[in-house]
Amino acid sequence: MATKLETKPNIPASPPPALEEKAVEPSPKSESALKSFISGGVGGACCVLVGHPLDLVKVRMQTASAGAATSSNSVFGMLSNTLRKEGVRGLYRGVSAPLTAVSPMFAVSFWSYDIGQRMVKAYGQRGLTEEEKSLQSYSLSMKEMCMAGAISAIPTTGIMAPTERIKCLLQVQGDLVEKGGKAKYSGMTDCAKQVLKEGGIQSLYKGTVATLARDIPGAVAYFGTYELIKRELTKLQPNNKKGDLSVGAVLTAGGLAGMACWTVGIPADVIKSRFQTAPEGKYSGIVDVYRSLIKEEGYAGLFRGLRPALIRAFPANAACFLGMEVTKNALGFMD
């Protein structure tokens, strides 16, 4: 007798519980690279106009011979002597070179920092689809911002190295003229022409390696410190939902960023200044400058000019970041 199989009616499966949709915050829109370029240029001009007199003192202190330190060679002693003998114009000796190049240099620096942030972000989002990237909110970590800062120093050096060479030669010449010497260069253009005539483009870019050795760690400290302090100060501002900083907060963050940059970069800057202003053939390279400096002055010689650099760094870079942030806000329509 065949066994009858009992069948059960098909009962439709209950639908799976609906997944609770979470509101996904879209990724913030990237700022315009052109806006970063323009705002950086304005910030650079502000930086030069505020900080050049103390930069003049820094270079003269760094290139002075060992044992030449007197009361008149202190920061404020040099400033008062220069003002008394040469007037306000003397305090801005050599300013044409940095003012001509610093605006585009800072423009390139902030543009490169923006590009560096995009590169780091792209690396952090590797493997994601375009849809996932557009839906996922991605905030750069401090480490990633420091990496973007390091990237920014590389293209900036292309403008920085020849500008620093001309600026340092003009500033040291001013010191010699003040002591009764004869001027070799009549100005920035004449200096550039003579340097090119004597040694070609290689001479104009003398000290590029030292400039990179100063600016890569310096840019890491510069942008990293600014972003860190800005982030912390934003938290302290009550009822600040948009994350905007007050003028005082921008000045504080910018000034401290400049001081951090120079604290890290001053040893390489001393070597760069010595190498760029030395007569042709005196040093075989930056390693030779370093060995000679340590032999004659010890490790303290690597920090010569730190005091005027730090005194200059705060107001100059506070002005730089304020000028940059104000311009960036004014150009908000470019995003």
Side-chain angles (χ1 to χ4, degrees):
M1 185 174 172
T3 308
K4 191 176 180 181
L5 294 175
E6 185 178 354
T7 59
K8 294 182 179 179
N10 290 330
I11 302 173
S14 57
L19 293 175
E20 187 178 335
E21 293 186 3
K22 292 183 180 180
V24 181
E25 186 179 332
S27 182
K29 189 178 179 181
S30 297
E31 290 185 341
S32 164
L34 180 59
K35 187 175 82 169
S36 297
F37 185 87
I38 296 171
S39 58
V42 174
C46 295
C47 181
V48 173
L49 293 173
V50 172
H52 188 78
L54 284 160
D55 186 68
L56 175 75
V57 172
K58 173 183 72 70
V59 171
R60 289 184 178 180
M61 289 181 74
Q62 289 176 342
T63 54
S65 58
T70 64
S71 60
S72 63
N73 285 340
S74 65
V75 176
F76 295 105
M78 277 190 168
L79 281 174
S80 60
N81 280 345
T82 303
L83 187 61
R84 186 175 65 254
K85 295 178 181 178
E86 303 176 58
V88 175
R89 186 176 180 180
L91 291 176
Y92 282 89
R93 185 179 296 277
V95 74
S96 54
L99 193 58
T100 300
V102 164
S103 285
M105 183 194 73
F106 269 78
V108 170
S109 178
F110 280 92
W111 171 80
S112 301
Y113 179 56
D114 180 76
I115 297 300
Q117 287 180 309
R118 296 182 190 205
M119 291 170 64
V120 172
K121 182 178 178 180
Y123 181 79
Q125 291 183 317
R126 66 192 185 282
L128 298 178
T129 65
E130 290 301 319
E131 185 180 357
E132 288 172 331
K133 288 179 183 179
S134 64
L135 292 175
Q136 184 187 65
S137 179
Y138 190 93
S139 297
L140 295 176
S141 65
M142 285 307 307
K143 181 180 178 180
E144 288 173 325
M145 287 179 175
C146 289
M147 288 174 64
I151 292 170
S152 75
I154 299 171
T156 306
T157 300
I159 301 173
M160 175 77 83
T163 304
E164 289 275 304
R165 170 93 156 116
I166 294 168
K167 182 201 73 174
C168 289
L169 287 171
L170 289 173
Q171 288 179 336
V172 172
Q173 173 184 270
D175 195 29
L176 292 174
V177 170
E178 189 179 314
K179 294 175 181 177
K182 188 178 179 182
K184 182 179 179 180
Y185 312 111
S186 61
M188 178 187 72
T189 305
D190 182 53
C191 181
K193 286 180 179 177
Q194 289 198 46
V195 169
L196 282 169
K197 185 177 179 181
E198 291 170 4
I201 195 72
Q202 185 177 355
S203 179
L204 190 63
Y205 275 86
K206 182 179 180 180
T208 298
V209 175
T211 305
L212 271 174
R214 178 195 70 179
D215 288 353
I216 290 177
V220 169
Y222 191 58
F223 289 109
T225 301
Y226 181 71
E227 297 290 356
L228 177 62
I229 295 175
K230 187 171 77 167
R231 183 178 293 181
E232 294 304 313
L233 289 178
T234 302
K235 296 176 184 177
L236 297 176
Q237 292 183 183
N239 303 320
N240 186 10
K241 295 179 181 179
K242 295 174 66 178
D244 295 331
L245 281 176
S246 65
V247 171
V250 172
L251 291 173
T252 300
L256 292 176
M259 294 180 75
C261 174
W262 278 106
T263 301
V264 170
I266 197 72
D269 188 63
V270 173
I271 294 170
K272 178 196 70 65
S273 294
R274 293 282 178 99
F275 187 57
Q276 288 183 322
T277 57
E280 292 296 332
K282 181 176 181 179
Y283 300 113
S284 60
I286 60 173
V287 175
D288 189 28
V289 179
Y290 172 78
R291 288 172 178 165
S292 178
L293 181 66
I294 297 301
K295 184 179 179 180
E296 294 173 8
E297 302 178 45
Y299 289 102
L302 289 171
F303 292 90
R304 181 178 277 213
L306 178 60
R307 186 179 298 176
L310 292 181
I311 294 173
R312 166 191 175 274
F314 193 95
N317 288 282
C320 172
F321 276 100
L322 181 62
M324 183 272 295
E325 293 285 4
V326 169
T327 306
K328 187 182 284 188
N329 287 336
L331 298 176
F333 64 89
M334 297 177 68
D335 288 335

